[in-house]
Amino acid sequence: MARICEICGKHTVTGNKVSHAKNRTRRTWKPNLIKVKTVIKGTTKSVKLCARCLKSDCIVKKV
């Protein structure tokens, strides 16, 4: 399962976790994806959205 928002394209980002002693270890930040049923062009589809896209009313959740 690809962790990508289907609206904005937000995806997993990698970087370093830095401790107080400046030790660096690799880590990942994953987007907050939510599987939502919505109506797109008259058909009901299940899409993966990030929480920001869902909050900003880019897509209306099917009730």
Side-chain angles (χ1 to χ4, degrees):
M1 175 176 143
R3 296 193 59 88
I4 299 173
C5 176
E6 295 182 15
I7 301 299
C8 67
K10 187 184 288 187
H11 60 282
T12 303
V13 178
T14 60
N16 288 321
K17 181 171 79 171
V18 182
S19 71
H20 185 68
K22 302 293 192 275
N23 297 332
R24 287 165 169 82
T25 55
R26 300 298 285 178
R27 65 154 295 179
T28 60
W29 288 268
K30 294 181 180 174
N32 184 11
L33 294 182
I34 301 156
K35 196 173 243 186
V36 173
K37 284 190 178 180
T38 184
V39 177
I40 298 175
K41 297 182 183 176
T43 60
T44 302
K45 287 184 70 175
S46 181
V47 295
K48 288 182 286 186
L49 304 174
C50 64
R52 184 182 289 182
C53 288
L54 189 61
K55 281 176 67 177
S56 66
D57 293 331
C58 292
I59 295 289
V60 177
K61 190 175 180 179
K62 185 178 178 186
V63 179

